[in-house]
Amino acid sequence: MEPTPARDMLAKYGLAPSRRRGQNFLADGNVCRKIVAAVGAGPDDVVLEIGAGFGAITLGLAEAARLVVAVEIDAGIARAFRTEYGDLPGIELVEGDVLEFDLERAAREHGVERLLVAGNLPYGVTSPVVRNLIDARHAVSRAVLMVQSEVGARMVAAPGTSDYSALSVVLQYHAGVRQLFRVARTCFHPRPKVDSRVIEIDFRLGGAHRSDPEAFSSVVHAAFGQRRKMLRRSLSGRIERAGTTAAALEESCGIDLARRGESLSLDEFEALTLALATLDDRGRAGQNRKVV
Ligand code: SAM
């Protein structure tokens, strides 16, 4: 079954698209099919779809997967969806906020080790959605997400480029991330002000790291918080808290702290995090000795 175009659904159900909720619906069947193909769900897979809207990708996903759990926050849209597609097999519409959706629990309840995730994301929630996916990474195999073009560029950016940011480093630490294709703003209704990119985030390709993920993230955010500053400045608070000096840190990790965070590779950020943790431990041990 083909989904009814969003423009017709809006008219039929007397709904107006909400900007606040990022309601730019896909209006290009070819792009919908490309997203469904990129998700690549099979008959054993359970897919979490973020923001079902009027089913532009939901119906295609349901033809391939065992089940699509489609989350939609908008009550009017959810009602229209149920009226049109409520009888279709393989779709469970969940009316609610995806930011409150428990991915680990959903995987358990549906008897899969890992969910697939798909969505033409409401752009306002991209950051918290990505954070939640990272937190639930052991319950997610891959995510195929349409995001605002500039955010997509940051997700896949390499060191030394202007798009390289904390998002690039932290996401690439946890997953294999690549751009699948670009989507022009003309493919949506209503038309947004920016183009989009479809990004694949493969959590099965996240490296085996020796650093603590939270410590890593905090070092990365500190380094990019003051992007134009040298690492010895942007990490000064962190260095002080570890009870060490920039010189000791430099010697321990072999990274020149006159560099800026934007030039560091993932491995170098990890070396920095590990060195800080080691110096921190030594500092603590030293303090304990003094007390004794
Ligand atoms: N998948 C549909 C499509 O491609 O046409 C709709 C995509 S539209 C960009 C985003 C959808 O997410 C809207 O239907 C919107 O109501 C819904 N949405 C916005 N915020 C949400 C949230 N926090 N939780 C769940 N759905 C949300």
Short mmCIF file of all heavy atoms in Angstrom, two decimals, residues 2 34 39 52 55 57-59 71 77 89 97 117 139 156 167 177 180 210 214 218 230 238 240 290:
data_model
loop_
_atom_site.label_atom_id
_atom_site.label_comp_id
_atom_site.label_asym_id
_atom_site.label_seq_id
_atom_site.Cartn_x
_atom_site.Cartn_y
_atom_site.Cartn_z
N GLU A 2 0.50 2.23 -0.81
CA GLU A 2 1.24 3.49 -0.87
C GLU A 2 0.66 4.47 0.16
O GLU A 2 -0.57 4.56 0.30
CB GLU A 2 1.09 4.12 -2.26
CG GLU A 2 1.88 3.43 -3.36
CD GLU A 2 3.39 3.56 -3.18
OE1 GLU A 2 3.85 4.69 -2.91
OE2 GLU A 2 4.08 2.53 -3.29
N LYS A 34 14.36 5.06 -1.03
CA LYS A 34 15.81 4.98 -0.77
C LYS A 34 16.09 4.83 0.73
O LYS A 34 17.00 4.10 1.13
CB LYS A 34 16.50 6.25 -1.30
CG LYS A 34 16.86 6.15 -2.78
CD LYS A 34 17.37 7.46 -3.32
CE LYS A 34 18.83 7.73 -3.00
NZ LYS A 34 19.31 8.98 -3.65
N VAL A 39 17.68 1.31 5.26
CA VAL A 39 17.45 0.66 6.56
C VAL A 39 17.68 -0.84 6.40
O VAL A 39 18.26 -1.49 7.27
CB VAL A 39 16.03 0.97 7.09
CG1 VAL A 39 15.74 0.21 8.39
CG2 VAL A 39 15.85 2.47 7.30
N ALA A 52 6.47 9.20 12.98
CA ALA A 52 5.81 8.48 11.88
C ALA A 52 5.17 9.43 10.87
O ALA A 52 5.11 9.14 9.68
CB ALA A 52 4.75 7.55 12.45
N GLY A 55 3.15 8.39 7.63
CA GLY A 55 3.56 7.06 7.19
C GLY A 55 4.42 7.00 5.94
O GLY A 55 4.57 5.92 5.35
N ILE A 57 7.46 6.76 5.36
CA ILE A 57 8.42 5.64 5.34
C ILE A 57 7.91 4.43 6.12
O ILE A 57 8.36 3.31 5.88
CB ILE A 57 9.86 6.03 5.80
CG1 ILE A 57 9.86 7.08 6.88
CG2 ILE A 57 10.71 6.45 4.67
CD1 ILE A 57 11.27 7.62 7.21
N THR A 58 6.96 4.66 7.00
CA THR A 58 6.46 3.57 7.85
C THR A 58 5.95 2.39 7.02
O THR A 58 6.27 1.23 7.31
CB THR A 58 5.29 4.08 8.73
OG1 THR A 58 5.52 5.43 9.10
CG2 THR A 58 5.10 3.20 9.95
N LEU A 59 5.16 2.69 6.00
CA LEU A 59 4.53 1.58 5.26
C LEU A 59 5.56 0.75 4.51
O LEU A 59 5.49 -0.48 4.50
CB LEU A 59 3.47 2.12 4.28
CG LEU A 59 2.35 3.02 4.85
CD1 LEU A 59 1.17 3.06 3.90
CD2 LEU A 59 1.90 2.59 6.23
N VAL A 71 6.78 5.91 16.49
CA VAL A 71 6.45 6.84 17.57
C VAL A 71 6.06 8.19 16.96
O VAL A 71 6.77 8.72 16.10
CB VAL A 71 7.65 7.03 18.53
CG1 VAL A 71 7.26 7.92 19.71
CG2 VAL A 71 8.15 5.68 19.03
N ILE A 77 -2.12 13.91 14.20
CA ILE A 77 -1.48 13.06 13.18
C ILE A 77 -1.65 11.59 13.55
O ILE A 77 -1.96 10.75 12.69
CB ILE A 77 0.02 13.44 13.03
CG1 ILE A 77 0.14 14.84 12.43
CG2 ILE A 77 0.76 12.42 12.18
CD1 ILE A 77 1.56 15.33 12.23
N PRO A 89 -0.95 -4.76 9.03
CA PRO A 89 -0.15 -5.59 9.94
C PRO A 89 1.28 -5.07 10.05
O PRO A 89 1.77 -4.38 9.15
CB PRO A 89 -0.17 -6.96 9.24
CG PRO A 89 -0.39 -6.66 7.80
CD PRO A 89 -1.18 -5.38 7.73
N ASP A 97 6.21 10.90 23.12
CA ASP A 97 7.47 11.60 22.86
C ASP A 97 8.59 10.58 22.74
O ASP A 97 8.84 9.81 23.68
CB ASP A 97 7.74 12.55 24.04
CG ASP A 97 8.94 13.43 23.81
OD1 ASP A 97 9.75 13.13 22.90
OD2 ASP A 97 9.08 14.43 24.55
N VAL A 117 16.83 1.51 13.82
CA VAL A 117 16.16 2.80 14.06
C VAL A 117 16.13 3.57 12.74
O VAL A 117 17.11 3.54 11.98
CB VAL A 117 16.90 3.62 15.14
CG1 VAL A 117 16.29 5.01 15.30
CG2 VAL A 117 16.87 2.88 16.47
N ALA A 139 21.49 -1.70 22.52
CA ALA A 139 20.19 -2.22 22.08
C ALA A 139 19.83 -1.75 20.68
O ALA A 139 18.71 -1.92 20.22
CB ALA A 139 19.10 -1.79 23.07
N VAL A 156 29.63 13.41 10.29
CA VAL A 156 30.60 12.60 9.54
C VAL A 156 31.97 13.29 9.38
O VAL A 156 32.86 12.74 8.73
CB VAL A 156 30.05 12.23 8.13
CG1 VAL A 156 28.78 11.42 8.23
CG2 VAL A 156 29.82 13.48 7.28
N LEU A 167 30.28 16.71 18.44
CA LEU A 167 29.33 15.71 17.92
C LEU A 167 30.05 14.68 17.04
O LEU A 167 29.83 13.47 17.17
CB LEU A 167 28.21 16.40 17.13
CG LEU A 167 27.23 15.49 16.41
CD1 LEU A 167 26.40 14.66 17.40
CD2 LEU A 167 26.28 16.29 15.51
N VAL A 177 30.06 5.94 11.25
CA VAL A 177 29.10 6.96 10.80
C VAL A 177 29.42 7.33 9.36
O VAL A 177 30.58 7.61 9.04
CB VAL A 177 29.20 8.24 11.68
CG1 VAL A 177 28.05 9.20 11.36
CG2 VAL A 177 29.17 7.89 13.16
N LEU A 180 24.85 8.72 3.62
CA LEU A 180 24.35 7.86 2.55
C LEU A 180 23.99 8.69 1.32
O LEU A 180 24.41 8.40 0.23
CB LEU A 180 23.14 7.06 3.03
CG LEU A 180 23.42 6.10 4.21
CD1 LEU A 180 22.17 5.36 4.61
CD2 LEU A 180 24.55 5.12 3.87
N ARG A 210 39.40 1.90 25.44
CA ARG A 210 39.95 1.67 26.78
C ARG A 210 39.55 2.80 27.72
O ARG A 210 39.62 2.66 28.92
CB ARG A 210 41.47 1.55 26.70
CG ARG A 210 41.90 0.22 26.05
CD ARG A 210 43.39 0.19 25.82
NE ARG A 210 43.80 1.27 24.93
CZ ARG A 210 44.85 2.05 25.12
NH1 ARG A 210 45.61 1.89 26.17
NH2 ARG A 210 45.17 3.01 24.25
N GLU A 214 32.26 8.44 29.49
CA GLU A 214 31.85 9.75 30.04
C GLU A 214 33.05 10.69 30.17
O GLU A 214 32.96 11.88 29.88
CB GLU A 214 31.18 9.57 31.40
CG GLU A 214 29.71 9.28 31.22
CD GLU A 214 28.97 9.18 32.53
OE1 GLU A 214 29.38 9.84 33.50
OE2 GLU A 214 27.99 8.42 32.55
N SER A 218 33.59 14.20 28.22
CA SER A 218 33.82 15.46 28.93
C SER A 218 35.11 16.13 28.44
O SER A 218 35.16 17.36 28.29
CB SER A 218 33.77 15.21 30.45
OG SER A 218 34.96 15.50 31.06
N MET A 230 44.13 26.95 22.51
CA MET A 230 45.02 25.79 22.58
C MET A 230 44.51 24.84 23.66
O MET A 230 43.90 25.28 24.64
CB MET A 230 46.42 26.26 22.98
CG MET A 230 47.14 26.98 21.90
SD MET A 230 48.82 27.27 22.48
CE MET A 230 48.91 29.00 22.39
N ARG A 238 40.28 20.98 33.63
CA ARG A 238 40.35 19.52 33.73
C ARG A 238 41.74 19.10 34.27
O ARG A 238 41.86 18.21 35.10
CB ARG A 238 40.10 18.97 32.31
CG ARG A 238 39.79 17.53 32.16
CD ARG A 238 38.48 17.15 32.83
NE ARG A 238 38.40 15.70 33.02
CZ ARG A 238 39.12 15.03 33.89
NH1 ARG A 238 39.97 15.64 34.66
NH2 ARG A 238 38.98 13.72 33.98
N GLU A 240 43.74 20.94 36.11
CA GLU A 240 43.82 21.35 37.52
C GLU A 240 43.10 20.34 38.42
O GLU A 240 43.63 19.92 39.45
CB GLU A 240 43.16 22.73 37.65
CG GLU A 240 43.72 23.56 38.79
CD GLU A 240 43.14 24.96 38.68
OE1 GLU A 240 43.46 25.66 37.70
OE2 GLU A 240 42.35 25.31 39.56
N LYS A 290 49.39 11.21 51.68
CA LYS A 290 49.61 12.33 52.61
C LYS A 290 48.73 12.20 53.83
O LYS A 290 49.14 12.41 54.96
CB LYS A 290 49.31 13.64 51.89
CG LYS A 290 50.54 14.23 51.23
CD LYS A 290 50.20 15.57 50.61
CE LYS A 290 50.85 15.66 49.23
NZ LYS A 290 50.04 16.39 48.29
#
